[in-house]
Amino acid sequence: MPADLYPTTQPPDSTYPAKATRNNASGTDSEVLDRMKIREICEGWGCYRDAAEWRNYRSMFHDDAYIATSWKQGPIDDFIMASKEVG
């Protein structure tokens, strides 16, 4: 049988930060909320853009946000205008 090209073994505990919070079962409510906000951005930006939900999309960025994708780079509002033209 060939060797397992993608082994799934647990890394040693010494490779993890000592005080890291890794899931919603541990940590404070504030830490959980922070992780959920980060997740919203990671998942939401693509969904909002693809669904043309421009108000929701824009709400996730600071006014001076700079977007860099394979087809457009620039300030957030310029990126939204270009996305509307392409979409």
Side-chain angles (χ1 to χ4, degrees):
M1 179 151 192
D4 186 359
L5 296 177
Y6 305 101
T8 54
T9 56
Q10 178 73 32
D13 286 342
S14 62
T15 63
Y16 292 101
K19 297 184 186 223
T21 302
R22 293 182 183 80
N23 59 51
N24 294 332
S26 61
T28 65
D29 288 348
S30 177
E31 291 169 331
V32 171
L33 184 57
D34 286 346
R35 286 194 303 278
M36 292 177 85
K37 288 177 180 179
I38 292 168
R39 183 174 178 171
E40 169 84 15
I41 292 169
C42 292
E43 294 176 350
W45 82 268
C47 293
Y48 292 150
R49 183 196 174 278
D50 291 351
E53 292 185 18
W54 303 116
R55 185 176 302 133
N56 285 333
Y57 183 79
R58 181 61 177 87
S59 73
M60 296 192 316
F61 297 92
H62 288 280
D63 289 339
D64 62 348
Y66 184 90
I67 305 299
T69 66
S70 60
W71 64 275
K72 177 71 177 166
Q73 297 79 40
I76 181 61
D77 293 319
D78 292 352
F79 181 81
I80 291 172
M81 285 191 329
S83 295
K84 289 178 179 180
E85 293 171 5
V86 171

